[in-house]
Amino acid sequence: MLRFILRRLFVTVPMVLVVVSLTWGLIRLAPGNFYTGEKPIPPAIEQNLRQRYGLDRPWYVQYGRMLGSVAAGDFGISLHYIGQPVNGILASALPVSALLGALSYLLALVVGVAAGVLAALRQNSRLDYASMTAAMVGISLPNFVLGPVLVLVFALSWYWLPPARWNGFGINLILPVVTLSAVYMAYVARLARSGMLEVLRSNYIRTARAKGLPERTVLLRHAVRGGLLPVVSFSGPALAFLITGAVVVERIFALPGLGNYFINANLNRDEPLIIGIVAFTSIAVLVFNLLVDVAYAFVDPRVRY
Amino acid sequence: MSGTDAPPPIAPASDAPAPDAPVAGTSLWRDARRRLLRNRLAVFGLVVVAIVLTASLVGPAIIEWTTGNTYDSIPADRSRIRALPPFTGVDGRFSWEHPMGTDILGRDILARVLLGGRISLMVGIISTVVSLVIGVAYGATAGYVGGRVDEAMMRVVDVLYAVPYMMIVIVLLALFGGQSPLGQLVLLFVSLGAVSWLTMARIVRGQVLSLKNQEFVLAARATGVRATRIVARHLVPNALGPVVVYATLTIPSVMLLEAFLSFLGLGVQAPLASWGSLAAEGVQNMAVFPWQLICPGATMGITLFSLNFIGDGLRDALDPQMRKS
Amino acid sequence: MRRALGVLLSRALSLLALSPLALSACAGPGGDGPYFGKVAPPEGQTLRYISGSEPESLDPQVATGQPEARIILSLFDGLTEYAPRTGEPIPALAERWDVNGDSTEFTFHLRTNARWSDGTPITADDIVYSLRRGLSPALASRNAYLAYGIENAQAYNEGAVFARERATGAFVPDPANPRIRLTLPADPEVRGEVLARLPGLADGQPDLDFVPVQPEDVGVVADDAHTVRVRMALPVPYFLGLVAHQFFRPVPRQAIETWGERWTDPAHIVTSGAFLLERWLPYNEINVVRNPGYWDEVRLDRISFYTLEDVTTMLNLYKAGEVDALYNHTVPAAWVDTIRPYKDYMDAPEASVEYLLFNVERPPMDDIRVRKAFNMAVDKVALAQYRRTAKPLSGFTPEGIFPGYPQPTGDPFDPDRARALLAEAGYAGRDGAWDPSTFPIADVALTYNTAETNRQLAEFVQAQWKQNLGLTVPLRNLEFRTFLTVRNDRDYSGLARGGWAGDYLDPFTFLELFSTPAGNNGTGWFDPRYAAMLDAANREGDPAARYARLADAEAYLLDAQPIVPLLTMATNWVKKPYVKGLFANPVTMHAWKFVYIEHDPSNWDLEDPTPR
């Protein structure tokens, strides 16, 4: 197991290299530049700008410099947010995204697994139908609809909660966390239910029951572990996405997280910032997926590496 | 449903067993269909989807024929260029002309929702097919072969996850985004297909990984069944539950992704709209013209609901372990 | 079956249940009160204002956008300031000024009691330093073009050279404008070409030295510690309005030389304005507090600039009483009818326009008759009516902004004439009448950048052409920077969307857009005669005669029809009744020192006592 983890961590380095290089190439291919504006700028000023940011150098020099910055873990200075170090931006946006993502994931996991497992244990009961209907509503209501609806009800009609803005850990987070987790909660509930149903019919559960194990032990020690496998494999992408891709929620609730920066960095062709966020998130994706694979081995004894 | 208790219909020629398949193969599909048709929710879902599909195919023509409204007709009469609530005429009284009201440009929302249905359903179906075909094949191969191959294949998926999708779309558009509407549509499907299979591949791989050491697979392998056949006949069918569930989850997320892509300039061009873009517009005006959100939102919601009933029904019907029921 | 129906019904009901709620939400907590949403003044003299996107920079000379300008105006004082009601220039760092007869020299007399936030006095040297810095090639400011009217400013910014006769040491004067020196491109090849075209110079060429233009050559001089003289290359009658612009606001040499690019960090920044930078939380808020050392009265203790982008979120925050005022263009067309009845709504014409550009280089839009037909076939009155706030535009400069400007009108809405023109251009059937099927519609599209308002505008215009010409022009939306690249490179066919907000209150800020050589304005249209007409107008000493000449030039532009004028925009924002000193001025730039919070509700509806 340890060898497996080390090997995967080792693979991370070339992976990040590939991702960052592809991204760098894409930025070069995209039309427009960070300085493209409403009014075409005079060629002389454009020349000055390119010189100032080293864009007049040959591509391999620029590429090398980019790789160097990634290797050093210092992504340089943003082109759009003039003079601001990318590392500083990441440091300010990451806690916001991490808190938002982690809370949403926890909420989704706790509620989703509970609902899914209970629904599976009492298949076709009222509880099953109710929780699966709720899950369907969660999935069918995109977060750009759910968020504003929640705001309309809780912030603008009843004036219970603030409609937007980041204010650290506090009530400002309630609406965004609920909005962000709703879809995942629903996913998790449905995946958990179907996974559980599958497992409950499997031979090893039958064997466990036949052995005369108490139902509680059968469920908790055997069924839940196997039944949550789809949830676990969904967790890697979900966690990575929750932490890096909460763009819509960040916009609706005006939260200064990574997603907001990332969209704008793309639109602004802000190369150092894009590279910084991509390098960071690709490491995050790889680590989460690794965690998922490790969790697999723990949850499901059938899986071997 | 009246047809539920009737004997299963005789299989048409297309459902006849393939020459090399044993007779049991037929009854699998026939069984599945019988079970599906016995599932009331699934049948209900089928009916609703059929209605929505038919309505979006022929509805716009009927509306144009009866009221003259099309999805893009902005009234020439200046006083009519405004948002009217459902079933309301310009004079504020009841009228049949706009059952879902109009948007701020005075366009009939019903016509827009129906036409949007064509796009959204097409987007949903094509992406689901792509995610099923590529994702399942890819994930199953990686999971079954295992070892280095699995490792490499999954790292490719990881890379695709990590490269900024938005940049890919911007570049795709810059390179191939000509002005032909057909080219745009192809580009849209390529862009949607490119991402929709990634998570599916991971899920299938996970399932196969846990299934491949089970007795029935080991038995098949021991008796010399070819690998492709083991994957196709034993592993994939047993992993179908999560696959079908995830596929039905893919549809809404792809419909929303389409709305986001239109922000970048990909996707259908205005004045055409999809359910996603109509809902996005409705959200902005939610507090002023709620019907602009409720009408497309409810249509989309009901359709997604029904698709999920079908999905659940399909899963139960296809589940090899449920054969006896 | 019954269960499924129940599920559906409950879902439908839950959605429908929102509608009465949503409607009641419009009325706000005060029921039918005169104000929109919650009205609760913040404690003390604090203003919470939404300023738009996260600023690129707080360096006045580097930042280009309006979101930045809104904040910078609180931190940095200008020689002149925008008057709160009109946006006209009023004294600030400069107590008074003199202008010579032909507007080629401006002398600013600085007040003696103005200080930087670190205590050092603000002197004429600071003004000179700042302008030179703003124009320096190394800074590469994208706003440098604003100062190009100043003598040698453009040459310095572009790294150009003077020509000096080796024998006499005298600089060669500009043949077109002998008052100033000739400047030439630094690149010898290009320079050779330019020289070859200049009469009477080619023969003397070998005797010329080429001297780079130095910062000292820029026409800004400190006569003494509190007097600055700015010399113009050409008459610039609108210069006073321009110097309130952020680009002309002096920057602190001491901080810039110590900290370099990072001088705007809250820890390092040195400012001159009514407020001091206290805290900068990216994508969240920027706090400024009253500057106790400021020379003028400041009424607010603190401003929190909230940086966010989503319009619906802004209106939500506003309605919930979490912010006190928004920036301009923040009320979507759909909301205007709902919000206009409240006293919060700030509506006034603004110095900005929306229009469409033709790519005149590609057929069929190279034919002026086709362009005129496309213009005449759009009913701009109906467009303005749907937009609720904007006014129809038939000229190119915004209507109702420049008092005394004899604005020309373009062609009126006339579908019959449009069809006739198209037939005349050769798109006619056998009977000689306009036949849409002969028109190469595949070569035409309307390109715009992604935004809800842009899309609706495009859809409206498309419907107009469909109704009036029988042509369905395809729409094509692009992400902002792709769009700008496509438009600037004229890589589009047919039409593209354009919008322009004036940099200062003068028609020239609009007309100038189309005087750029080589058609570098998105349309490919360039006419030396037009540029000459603008030049001649600016040389005119008498303001009325100048306006008349500018209007002639505008009429000439409209006649060539490289554009379809659409709308004069409106300010279109909201503020709470307790916010005073904040007005809907045509530039939507606010001098924050005049703003205050009125805690006494009985004064809310009275005439605002702020002068000017």
Side-chain angles (χ1 to χ4, degrees):
Chain A
M1 180 54 99
L2 191 66
R3 247 189 65 212
F4 165 76
I5 294 176
L6 285 177
R7 202 174 63 218
R8 280 284 291 274
L9 284 177
F10 187 70
V11 171
T12 306
V13 178
M15 288 269 306
V16 172
L17 204 74
V18 170
V19 170
V20 160
S21 303
L22 280 174
T23 308
W24 185 84
L26 284 172
I27 301 171
R28 296 292 134 140
L29 286 175
N33 233 316
F34 70 93
Y35 53 75
T36 309
E38 271 287 344
K39 202 163 172 160
I41 52 174
I45 297 186
E46 179 170 2
Q47 202 51 47
N48 295 340
L49 272 168
R50 297 188 71 83
Q51 204 174 342
R52 180 169 172 176
Y53 291 103
L55 299 174
D56 52 344
R57 314 283 290 280
W59 68 267
Y60 48 85
V61 174
Q62 299 184 38
Y63 179 65
R65 211 175 43 185
M66 185 274 297
L67 282 188
S69 76
V70 173
D74 176 359
F75 300 107
I77 307 287
S78 161
L79 297 175
H80 181 78
Y81 305 106
I82 298 156
Q84 294 202 41
V86 171
N87 289 32
I89 295 177
L90 290 179
S92 82
L94 194 62
V96 177
S97 294
L99 187 58
L100 183 64
L103 287 179
S104 306
Y105 179 72
L106 271 181
L107 184 64
L109 204 63
V110 169
V111 178
V113 166
V117 169
L118 287 180
L121 293 181
R122 304 204 196 147
Q123 201 187 353
N124 296 331
S125 70
R126 237 169 236 205
L127 179 80
D128 183 17
Y129 283 113
S131 58
M132 285 308 111
T133 308
M136 271 322 300
V137 174
I139 292 168
S140 314
L141 261 186
N143 52 15
F144 70 84
V145 174
L146 179 63
V149 168
L150 291 178
V151 168
L152 192 65
V153 176
F154 292 100
L156 298 181
S157 300
W158 298 342
Y159 293 93
W160 281 0
L161 294 167
R165 288 182 30 81
W166 169 254
N167 212 348
F169 185 84
I171 53 166
N172 283 47
L173 276 173
I174 295 177
L175 290 182
V177 164
V178 170
T179 307
L180 185 57
S181 67
V183 172
Y184 293 90
M185 210 186 281
Y187 272 44
V188 168
R190 286 182 61 85
L191 285 171
R193 176 178 177 270
S194 81
M196 281 299 285
L197 285 180
E198 207 102 326
V199 166
L200 287 176
R201 288 195 295 264
S202 72
N203 294 332
Y204 72 89
I205 294 295
R206 233 172 280 159
T207 315
R209 283 200 177 125
K211 277 198 300 191
L213 287 177
E215 188 66 15
R216 173 186 282 267
T217 317
V218 172
L219 290 180
L220 291 183
R221 280 190 57 95
H222 300 276
V224 170
R225 277 172 75 175
L228 292 189
L229 214 56
V231 175
V232 172
S233 72
F234 173 71
S235 286
L239 249 179
F241 187 82
L242 278 169
I243 288 181
T244 60
V247 185
V248 176
V249 170
E250 282 175 22
R251 266 189 87 88
I252 294 172
F253 295 99
L255 303 176
L258 270 185
N260 221 337
Y261 270 110
F262 189 53
I263 293 287
N264 283 319
N266 276 291
L267 295 177
N268 293 326
R269 313 286 191 268
D270 189 347
E271 184 192 307
L273 187 52
I274 300 176
I275 296 282
I277 298 180
V278 163
F280 177 80
T281 52
S282 57
I283 293 174
V285 169
L286 291 170
V287 169
F288 285 136
N289 285 341
L290 175 59
L291 288 178
V292 164
D293 287 344
V294 171
Y296 250 73
F298 278 106
V299 173
D300 189 345
R302 291 171 300 181
V303 177
R304 290 269 167 273
Y305 290 102
Chain B
M1 295 305 293
S2 61
T4 318
D5 296 312
I10 294 154
S14 63
D15 272 10
D20 64 334
V23 183
T26 331
S27 74
L28 176 88
W29 292 107
R30 195 186 282 178
D31 266 11
R33 192 168 56 190
R34 189 172 50 83
R35 277 202 302 268
L36 184 66
L37 289 180
R38 221 162 41 192
N39 183 331
R40 289 176 173 184
L41 283 179
V43 170
F44 171 78
L46 276 173
V47 171
V48 170
V49 170
I51 291 174
V52 172
L53 202 64
T54 319
S56 40
L57 287 179
V58 302
I62 295 175
I63 295 173
E64 190 175 356
W65 182 58
T66 51
T67 64
N69 295 318
T70 59
Y71 71 97
D72 65 342
S73 58
I74 297 173
D77 174 6
R78 280 178 205 167
S79 67
R80 298 179 66 97
I81 304 182
R82 61 195 178 94
L84 297 171
F87 294 115
T88 310
V90 196
D91 51 4
R93 295 221 201 99
F94 182 88
S95 150
W96 280 104
E97 196 184 344
H98 303 294
M100 286 190 179
T102 62
D103 68 4
I104 188 161
L105 287 168
R107 292 176 298 194
D108 184 48
I109 293 182
L110 179 60
R112 290 178 70 69
V113 167
L114 290 181
L115 209 83
R118 287 190 201 171
I119 288 140
S120 285
L121 287 172
M122 188 158 64
V123 161
I125 290 167
I126 292 192
S127 314
T128 310
V129 168
V130 169
S131 112
L132 278 176
V133 171
I134 302 182
V136 171
Y138 196 96
T141 310
Y144 184 74
V145 177
R148 295 245 160 120
V149 178
D150 174 33
E151 185 101 333
M153 286 176 85
M154 282 301 116
R155 295 300 80 74
V156 170
V157 170
D158 288 346
V159 167
L160 290 178
Y161 263 124
V163 175
Y165 183 57
M166 206 167 151
M167 260 310 157
I168 299 180
V169 173
I170 290 174
V171 170
L172 270 181
L173 257 174
L175 296 182
F176 307 108
Q179 294 193 0
S180 113
L182 192 70
Q184 285 252 339
L185 213 60
V186 172
L187 209 59
L188 172 67
F189 290 135
V190 170
S191 312
L192 290 174
V195 287
S196 55
W197 62 273
L198 296 174
T199 305
M200 179 66 85
R202 284 195 71 87
I203 286 182
V204 172
R205 169 185 172 267
Q207 286 291 309
V208 169
L209 221 50
S210 78
L211 286 170
K212 76 173 179 187
N213 291 324
Q214 287 202 8
E215 300 85 351
F216 67 97
V217 180
L218 295 176
R221 213 180 297 165
T223 50
V225 180
R226 271 178 298 126
T228 47
R229 203 175 153 81
I230 294 180
V231 170
R233 303 288 305 205
H234 298 281
L235 292 177
V236 171
N238 276 290
L240 267 185
V243 167
V244 170
V245 170
Y246 190 73
T248 51
L249 297 178
T250 311
I251 297 176
S253 68
V254 162
M255 285 184 182
L256 302 179
L257 185 60
E258 182 271 331
F260 169 70
L261 288 180
S262 66
F263 167 84
L264 293 179
L266 193 60
V268 292
Q269 292 289 352
L272 273 172
S274 63
W275 286 343
S277 63
L278 285 171
E281 190 184 345
V283 161
Q284 254 207 7
N285 305 332
M286 175 173 66
V288 193
F289 312 136
W291 60 92
Q292 284 189 9
L293 173 63
I294 292 171
C295 296
T299 317
M300 185 174 173
I302 289 169
T303 311
L304 291 176
F305 243 72
S306 310
L307 280 173
N308 277 281
F309 290 145
I310 300 176
D312 285 357
L314 267 179
R315 183 202 53 206
D316 293 346
L318 290 174
D319 191 339
Q321 315 241 342
M322 294 247 309
R323 199 83 45 87
K324 55 221 161 280
S325 64
Chain C
M1 194 73 188
R2 215 169 55 213
R3 186 171 277 135
L5 259 180
V7 164
L8 280 169
L9 264 175
S10 71
R11 172 159 164 75
L13 281 175
S14 72
L15 273 167
L16 279 172
L18 284 171
S19 80
L21 200 151
L23 288 171
S24 72
C26 298
D32 297 305
Y35 312 119
F36 180 63
K38 208 168 172 177
V39 184
E43 298 271 306
Q45 288 294 326
T46 299
L47 178 75
R48 297 159 304 173
Y49 182 79
I50 291 188
S51 58
S53 316
E54 169 71 11
E56 314 173 315
S57 167
L58 291 183
D59 183 332
Q61 301 187 315
V62 170
T64 50
Q66 300 226 346
E68 291 81 12
R70 293 176 191 119
I71 301 167
I72 286 171
L73 256 49
S74 72
L75 296 172
F76 294 91
D77 232 5
L79 287 170
T80 64
E81 182 58 270
Y82 298 106
R85 286 174 194 267
T86 60
E88 298 282 351
I90 54 171
L93 279 179
E95 273 178 321
R96 60 198 168 81
W97 48 78
D98 312 311
V99 186
N100 71 345
D102 61 352
S103 301
T104 52
E105 192 170 283
F106 293 77
T107 311
F108 296 94
H109 303 282
L110 306 191
R111 64 180 59 255
T112 52
N113 56 348
R115 289 175 183 281
W116 292 106
S117 56
D118 63 358
T120 46
I122 300 174
T123 64
D125 285 336
D126 288 312
I127 312 289
V128 174
Y129 164 79
S130 302
L131 266 173
R132 286 178 185 166
R133 172 184 184 259
L135 288 164
S136 71
L139 187 72
S141 167
R142 281 172 279 166
N143 268 341
Y145 75 92
L146 287 170
Y148 278 4
I150 299 173
E151 193 178 313
N152 295 330
Q154 182 166 11
Y156 171 53
N157 188 240
E158 295 182 347
V161 294
F162 293 127
R164 191 167 58 190
E165 286 178 33
R166 201 167 291 159
T168 61
F171 287 99
V172 177
D174 186 342
N177 185 6
R179 213 169 48 78
I180 59 169
R181 297 174 190 170
L182 175 66
T183 55
L184 295 162
D187 183 349
E189 247 176 70
V190 189
R191 185 167 64 216
E193 285 169 28
V194 175
L195 275 172
R197 281 201 303 266
L198 287 173
L201 264 179
D203 47 330
Q205 201 175 341
D207 301 332
L208 294 177
D209 279 334
F210 296 106
V211 197
V213 179
Q214 298 296 324
E216 295 76 33
D217 296 319
V218 175
V220 188
V221 197
D223 282 344
D224 61 51
H226 295 104
T227 313
V228 189
R229 212 151 30 86
V230 184
R231 288 195 314 272
M232 301 292 159
L234 291 167
V236 186
Y238 50 85
F239 187 67
L240 285 174
L242 192 51
V243 291
H245 193 281
Q246 47 178 326
F247 179 78
F248 293 90
R249 302 204 166 199
V251 290
R253 176 178 206 154
Q254 60 274 32
I256 295 170
E257 287 179 351
T258 314
W259 301 109
E261 222 177 20
R262 311 233 33 199
W263 74 273
T264 49
D265 279 5
H268 311 320
I269 195 167
V270 173
T271 56
S272 60
F275 295 88
L276 303 170
L277 181 61
E278 184 192 40
R279 208 161 55 133
W280 183 352
L281 304 172
Y283 266 109
N284 193 11
E285 66 178 288
I286 293 180
N287 288 322
V288 299
V289 291
R290 182 215 301 265
N291 176 2
Y294 189 66
W295 57 268
D296 199 2
E297 187 196 358
V298 182
R299 313 187 68 169
L300 286 173
D301 288 328
R302 168 195 293 271
I303 310 175
S304 292
F305 292 103
Y306 291 169
T307 47
L308 57 114
E309 289 163 353
D310 190 81
V311 170
T312 314
T313 307
M314 289 176 205
L315 285 170
N316 289 345
L317 282 167
Y318 183 82
K319 184 164 180 283
E322 306 251 322
V323 298
D324 309 313
L326 308 183
Y327 66 89
N328 53 339
H329 305 173
T330 41
V331 182
W335 286 66
V336 172
D337 284 344
T338 309
I339 293 185
R340 206 200 301 263
Y342 295 102
K343 291 183 174 170
D344 307 61
Y345 191 56
M346 303 299 281
D347 190 17
E350 196 184 56
S352 61
V353 294
E354 266 190 280
Y355 55 100
L356 302 176
L357 297 85
F358 288 107
N359 184 351
V360 304
E361 290 169 346
R362 292 194 191 171
M365 295 307 178
D366 56 345
D367 187 332
I368 188 166
R369 290 169 297 193
V370 178
R371 300 204 295 269
K372 284 198 169 298
F374 271 72
N375 177 46
M376 285 181 209
V378 179
D379 182 355
K380 292 149 193 175
V381 177
L383 173 62
Q385 194 179 326
Y386 129 68
R387 268 294 192 83
R388 301 292 190 280
T389 57
K391 290 204 288 188
L393 179 67
S394 75
F396 181 57
T397 54
E399 277 172 30
I401 296 292
F402 309 117
Y405 180 65
Q407 185 163 37
T409 50
D411 293 322
F413 174 56
D414 187 349
D416 292 329
R417 177 103 185 84
R419 288 186 288 264
L421 273 171
L422 283 169
E424 206 180 293
Y427 305 109
R430 287 225 191 87
D431 56 352
W434 154 244
D435 178 1
S437 66
T438 59
F439 190 83
I441 195 69
D443 297 344
V444 176
L446 172 52
T447 308
Y448 62 98
N449 58 305
T450 309
E452 179 89 1
T453 45
N454 294 353
R455 180 176 54 70
Q456 285 177 356
L457 183 99
E459 287 173 336
F460 181 89
V461 172
Q462 184 197 43
Q464 287 281 314
W465 287 326
K466 195 172 179 182
Q467 281 162 21
N468 299 323
L469 302 178
L471 289 174
T472 305
V473 176
L475 305 183
R476 181 183 176 217
N477 86 306
L478 295 173
E479 163 270 331
F480 189 52
R481 274 186 167 66
T482 307
F483 170 77
L484 289 178
T485 310
V486 160
R487 195 180 71 185
N488 292 349
D489 297 347
R490 304 189 290 286
D491 194 12
Y492 66 96
S493 301
L495 301 100
R497 183 201 167 260
W500 187 247
D503 289 319
Y504 43 90
L505 276 179
D506 189 273
F508 188 68
T509 183
F510 293 91
L511 300 178
E512 177 200 35
L513 285 180
F514 291 94
S515 68
T516 49
N520 189 15
N521 48 41
T523 67
W525 180 81
F526 174 66
D527 189 335
R529 215 185 128 203
Y530 176 69
M533 287 170 91
L534 289 182
D535 266 0
N538 277 339
R539 278 169 215 277
E540 186 64 64
D542 172 40
R546 174 173 174 270
Y547 265 9
R549 278 174 175 269
L550 284 177
D552 286 346
E554 184 175 348
Y556 186 79
L557 171 75
L558 293 174
D559 199 44
Q561 205 88 63
I563 48 161
V564 178
L566 293 174
L567 297 167
T568 300
M569 307 287 277
T571 51
N572 196 26
W573 49 282
V574 282
K575 75 164 181 62
K576 298 287 183 188
Y578 49 77
V579 180
K580 293 292 185 184
L582 199 60
F583 300 90
N585 67 43
V587 284
T588 316
M589 282 294 145
H590 307 298
W592 297 108
K593 63 183 176 189
F594 296 107
V595 181
Y596 65 100
I597 306 290
E598 174 60 72
H599 285 279
D600 180 358
S602 61
N603 287 336
W604 286 356
D605 294 338
L606 298 183
E607 178 61 21
D608 196 312
T610 309
R612 287 176 297 212

